[in-house]
């Protein structure tokens, strides 16, 4: 009887949910579950990169529906399928008007090269490239196409790489705010804008070093794509700008000047009679489901934190790397008898040291179980992002990936004096040790508190250095020389022994295949920590997923068309799948800068 009443209560709660929230949910899911339109026999995919990119598709089951053109990983996987699809004859790419994250552009460039190697053309069209971000990365991607077009009257303003930081020290002094932070060590400069009014020598050195490396790497890659151009020649031509489209064509920086409609018609003419433009998100690639030996893919993007991400609102982004979820995904993959190796895709600027250690422990466990783990680094895998990678079987990074940053910072803002100027008095009470008030906002740390906090910082830094020394087979002394919080590009890290190989995701897959001694075709099996949409809804509203499924099934029996689509869509999804940054203070953080 108790179980019956519990189930009925769940069903009643589900009824409320069904008539209020589910109609919207069903519309979304029905759109995702609907049978896609067949791809025309002669199709040209249109890929629009102007809306910005994440590295990975959302883990959120609601946000991941039908969005293959908004993440780097989704784009390269779709292109990998499309290069072998006889119906796809080419790709038209709309370039962004500003800079791109360089490692993301490099990942796409490699995907373009694989697509073109299959004998299929790519035309890139630009409405101008204007200052903002790493514009050489955008130019590099355009140069990797068969033809680089630019709209008449647009300008090419790819003349260098600039960064600007806002320093708040004088304002804090004026208003009585004390930034009470510690760093390990001088290159861990994320909190420098709170502590100083200008770049410190170490800050300036580190930032100019990675900026120069990114600039050189993107120029070299772009020069390799332009006929008869050395990096030095290309640099001279670009830095002579800005140039209008016609001038850029005369200098050999682009290939043609024309509107996007003209570029599309040129590509359609090459694609054959009755060729059609197909939006990238409307293309339905072959499913990667199957049986037999596999390489698991586990993805992680965002700041690293403890806990589970499933408690987040399923209708919002809630991006982040939750240590419980990622560790579980890695352990699940390691236990799968079909999985012979794991590619762990990391795109993170850092976060909690304890969360990073939990994920690293899962990586070590997989390797101990005989399943190699190869880390594929995205735009950045620094600080905590490097901690989780440090003891992998191999690390593969793009030349422009930002990595390293082996260090830690932490502290607080003491705002009591500032509030006192406005008649607000901050007072505190405590029992036990004075250290219990270490993160109180009323005043700066006492000398005793600062000393205790320093011991914690020193311990975290020492453990970080130790993890790297063990994983990269370097002496602690050598790691100490290249650590101290300094950020390196992938190219620099490769020379230092912090990275094993340069390349993208599919190079990491090849490395995993080699380490696992696999031959022939190997499928990729994505292992996600996120639950089903109904389970996500349960997290948000406290309704049992079992009750929600019971309700949906009952409504299906009664003939409710909305619930029918829900059940049918869920079943189709299962068949297709092949299986039935946190505040700075008070805190300790492994931030990337």
């Amino acid at each position: 009887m108790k179980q019956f009443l519990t189930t009925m209560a769940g069903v009643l709660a589900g009824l409320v949910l069904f008539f209020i929230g589910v109609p919207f949910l069903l519309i979304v899911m029905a759109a995702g579950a609907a049978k896609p339109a067949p791809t025309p026999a002669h199709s040209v995919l249109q890929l629009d990169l102007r809306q910005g990119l994440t590295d990975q598709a959302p883990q959120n089951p609601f946000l991941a529906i039908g969005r293959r053109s908004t993440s780097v990983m989704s784009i390269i996987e779709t292109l990998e399928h499309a290069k072998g699809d006889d119906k796809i004859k080419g790709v038209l790419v709309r370039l962004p008007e500003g800079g791109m994250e360089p490692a993301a552009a490099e990942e796409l460039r490699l995907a373009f090269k694989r697509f073109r190697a299959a004998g299929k053309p790519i035309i890139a069209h630009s409405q101008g490239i204007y200052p903002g971000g790493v514009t050489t990365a955008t130019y590099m991607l355009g140069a990797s196409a068969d033809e680089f077009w630019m709209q008449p009257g647009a300008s090419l303003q790819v003349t260098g790489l600039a960064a600007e930081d806002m320093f708040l020290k004088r304002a804090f002094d004026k208003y009585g705010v004390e930034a009470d932070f510690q760093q390990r060590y001088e290159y861990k400069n994320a909190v420098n804008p709170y502590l100083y009014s200008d770049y410190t020598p170490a800050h300036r050195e580190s930032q100019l070093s990675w900026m120069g490396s990114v600039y050189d790497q993107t120029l070299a890659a772009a020069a390799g794509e332009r006929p008869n151009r050395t990096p030095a020649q290309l640099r001279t031509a670009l830095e002579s700008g800005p140039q209008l489209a016609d001038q850029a064509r005369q200098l050999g920086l682009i290939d043609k000047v024309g509107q996007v409609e003209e570029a599309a018609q040129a590509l359609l003419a090459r694609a054959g009679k009755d060729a059609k433009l197909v939006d990238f998100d409307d293309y339905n690639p072959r499913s990667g489901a199957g049986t037999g030996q596999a390489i698991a893919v586990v993805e992680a993007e965002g700041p690293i934190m403890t806990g589970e991400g499933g408690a987040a609102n399923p209708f919002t982004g809630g991006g982040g790397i939750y240590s419980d979820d990622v560790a579980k995904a890695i352990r699940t993959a390691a236990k799968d008898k079909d999985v012979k190796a794991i590619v762990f895709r990391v795109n993170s600027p850092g976060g909690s040291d304890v969360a990073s250690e939990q994920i690293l422990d899962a990586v070590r466990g997989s390797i101990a179980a005989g399943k190699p783990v190869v880390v594929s680094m995205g735009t950045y895998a620094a600080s905590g992002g490097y901690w989780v990678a440090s003891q992998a079987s191999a690390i593969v990074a793009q030349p422009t990936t930002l990595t390293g940053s082996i260090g830690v910072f932490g502290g607080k803002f003491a705002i009591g004096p500032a509030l006192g100027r406005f008649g607000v008095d901050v007072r505190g009470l405590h029992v036990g040790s004075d250290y219990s008030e270490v993160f109180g906002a009323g005043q700066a740390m006492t000398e005793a508190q600062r000393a205790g906090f320093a011991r914690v910082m020193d311990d975290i830094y020492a453990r970080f250095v130790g993890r790297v020394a063990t994983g990269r087979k370097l002496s602690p002394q050598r790691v100490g020389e290249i650590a101290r919080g300094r950020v390196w590009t992938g190219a620099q890290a490769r020379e230092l022994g912090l990275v094993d190989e340069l390349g993208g995701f599919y190079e990491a897959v090849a490395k995993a295949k080699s380490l696992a001694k696999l031959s022939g075709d190997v499928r990729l099996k994505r292992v996600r920590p996120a639950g089903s949409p109904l389970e996500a809804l349960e997290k948000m509203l406290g309704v049992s997923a079992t009750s929600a499924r019971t309700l949906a099934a009952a409504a299906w029996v009664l003939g409710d068309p909305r619930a029918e689509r829900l059940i049918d869509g869920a079943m189709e999804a299962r068949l297709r799948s092949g299986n039935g940054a946190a505040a700075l203070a008070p805190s300790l953080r492994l931030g990337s800068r």
Side-chain angles (χ1 to χ4, degrees):
M1 176 60 79
K2 181 178 179 181
Q3 180 62 43
F4 173 78
L5 293 175
T6 301
T7 301
M8 288 304 298
V11 170
L12 289 173
L15 284 170
V16 176
L17 170 65
F18 184 80
F19 288 110
I20 296 177
V22 168
F24 168 76
L25 167 64
L26 290 175
I27 292 172
V28 175
M29 292 193 65
K35 186 176 180 180
T39 303
H42 295 81
S43 296
V44 170
L45 299 181
Q46 182 170 239
L47 173 61
D48 193 340
L49 300 176
R50 294 174 298 173
Q51 71 270 42
L53 293 172
T54 59
D55 184 68
Q56 299 157 26
Q59 294 285 345
N60 188 317
F62 295 102
L63 299 181
I65 296 173
R67 298 177 63 188
R68 288 195 302 276
S69 66
T70 57
S71 76
V72 172
M73 289 292 290
S74 296
I75 291 171
I76 66 172
E77 289 177 54
T78 300
L79 288 175
E80 192 71 13
H81 288 300
K83 75 177 187 182
D85 188 340
D86 291 339
K87 294 181 179 180
I88 303 301
K89 304 300 182 181
V91 176
L92 174 66
V93 180
R94 306 291 302 276
L95 295 172
E97 295 174 33
M100 295 182 66
E101 292 182 337
E106 181 66 22
E107 191 78 67
L108 295 179
R109 185 182 77 87
L110 294 176
F112 286 8
K113 289 175 70 70
R114 290 190 294 270
F115 188 86
R116 293 174 58 197
K120 300 185 178 186
I122 294 179
I123 289 181
H125 187 273
S126 171
Q127 292 178 289
I129 304 177
Y130 303 94
V134 186
T135 53
T136 51
T138 305
Y139 178 79
M140 172 187 70
L141 187 59
S144 70
D146 292 273
E147 294 179 3
F148 190 172
W149 289 54
M150 183 168 284
Q151 181 173 308
S155 63
L156 184 68
Q157 300 185 27
V158 183
T159 58
L161 175 57
E164 191 173 54
D165 292 283
M166 187 177 294
F167 292 87
L168 304 174
K169 177 66 165 60
R170 291 197 302 121
F172 285 175
D173 290 344
K174 179 178 181 180
Y175 293 104
V177 175
E178 182 170 349
D180 198 358
F181 286 89
Q182 296 186 38
Q183 304 150 287
R184 299 293 183 275
Y185 279 98
E186 68 273 21
Y187 294 105
K188 199 71 174 179
N189 51 50
V191 293
N192 279 8
Y194 311 136
L195 304 176
Y196 306 102
S197 57
D198 199 353
Y199 296 102
T200 65
H203 190 169
R204 185 183 302 274
E205 175 194 351
S206 177
Q207 192 146 319
L208 285 175
S209 175
W210 69 255
M211 288 174 63
S213 180
V214 166
Y215 191 50
D216 291 344
Q217 293 292 331
T218 50
L219 282 177
E225 302 290 353
R226 302 305 298 169
N228 305 315
R229 281 294 177 97
T230 66
Q233 291 171 333
L234 180 63
R235 179 170 184 162
T236 298
L238 288 172
E239 290 183 3
S240 70
Q243 298 97 0
L244 293 177
D246 286 330
Q247 296 171 310
R249 183 181 58 78
Q250 292 169 6
L251 290 171
L253 296 174
I254 63 172
D255 298 302
K256 294 186 178 181
V257 177
Q259 297 288 347
V260 66
E261 290 79 6
E262 297 175 83
Q265 288 303 316
L267 192 52
L268 288 170
R270 296 173 64 176
K273 185 179 179 181
D274 299 324
K276 304 290 184 183
L277 271 181
V278 176
D279 189 85
F280 202 81
D281 286 337
D282 291 337
Y283 171 59
N284 183 45
R286 297 188 304 268
S287 172
T291 59
Q293 60 186 16
I295 292 175
V297 179
V298 177
E299 295 177 333
E301 180 170 19
I304 302 171
M305 60 197 83
T306 58
E308 298 180 344
N313 187 331
F315 294 113
T316 61
I321 299 173
Y322 294 89
S323 59
D324 284 6
D325 291 343
V326 175
K328 179 181 178 182
I330 294 172
R331 295 186 193 282
T332 298
K335 293 176 182 177
D336 189 326
K337 61 180 178 60
D338 290 337
V339 169
K340 307 304 179 184
I342 298 172
V343 173
F344 183 20
R345 177 73 173 195
V346 179
N347 192 61
S348 172
S352 162
D353 63 300
V354 293
S356 299
E357 179 65 15
Q358 181 183 357
I359 295 170
L360 178 60
D361 185 66
V363 171
R364 288 191 296 250
S366 175
I367 296 171
K371 308 287 180 75
V373 178
V374 176
V375 167
S376 168
M377 292 181 167
T379 294
Y380 37 61
S383 204
Y386 189 76
W387 187 311
V388 302
S390 60
Q391 296 184 357
S393 307
I395 299 175
V396 180
Q398 294 287 5
T400 55
T401 295
L402 297 184
T403 188
S405 192
I406 302 164
V408 62
F409 67 83
K412 67 176 182 179
F413 292 105
I415 60 174
L419 293 175
R421 299 182 183 188
F422 298 94
V424 178
D425 297 314
V426 180
R427 302 286 186 261
L429 296 171
H430 78 277
V431 293
S433 166
D434 287 344
Y435 192 80
S436 62
E437 292 187 309
V438 66
F439 288 124
Q443 60 185 6
M445 295 182 194
T446 66
E447 288 303 316
Q449 289 171 341
R450 190 169 288 110
F453 187 59
R455 291 195 297 273
V456 175
M457 299 276 284
D458 290 339
D459 176 72
I460 294 172
Y461 182 73
R463 284 190 289 117
F464 200 168
V465 169
R467 299 296 182 269
V468 176
T470 300
R472 299 297 98 207
K473 297 179 174 58
L474 299 169
S475 70
Q477 293 74 22
R478 177 55 178 159
V479 176
E481 293 170 2
I482 59 181
R484 308 188 72 81
R486 181 159 178 170
V487 174
W488 306 98
T489 63
Q492 294 170 325
R494 174 66 182 85
E495 295 298 318
L496 296 169
L498 297 176
V499 163
D500 297 299
E501 296 182 11
L502 298 180
F505 172 72
Y506 284 102
E507 284 71 29
V509 170
K511 183 65 175 179
K513 185 176 176 180
S514 173
L515 290 175
K517 297 180 173 56
L518 299 176
S519 60
D521 293 335
V522 178
R523 66 188 176 99
L524 299 181
K525 181 176 182 178
R526 181 164 274 99
V527 181
R528 296 183 182 272
S532 70
L534 287 172
E535 288 167 340
L537 209 57
E538 172 198 354
K539 293 285 188 180
M540 181 179 74
L541 297 176
V543 177
S544 163
T546 301
S547 298
R549 280 191 290 266
T550 300
L551 170 66
W556 184 83
V557 172
L558 294 174
D560 189 303
R562 295 172 298 176
E564 288 179 28
R565 289 195 297 271
L566 174 63
I567 296 295
D568 293 342
M571 290 301 295
E572 288 179 16
R574 287 179 65 85
L575 289 173
R576 286 197 301 269
S577 68
N579 57 50
L584 283 175
S587 67
L588 285 171
R589 279 202 67 189
L590 300 167
S592 63
R593 296 182 59 191

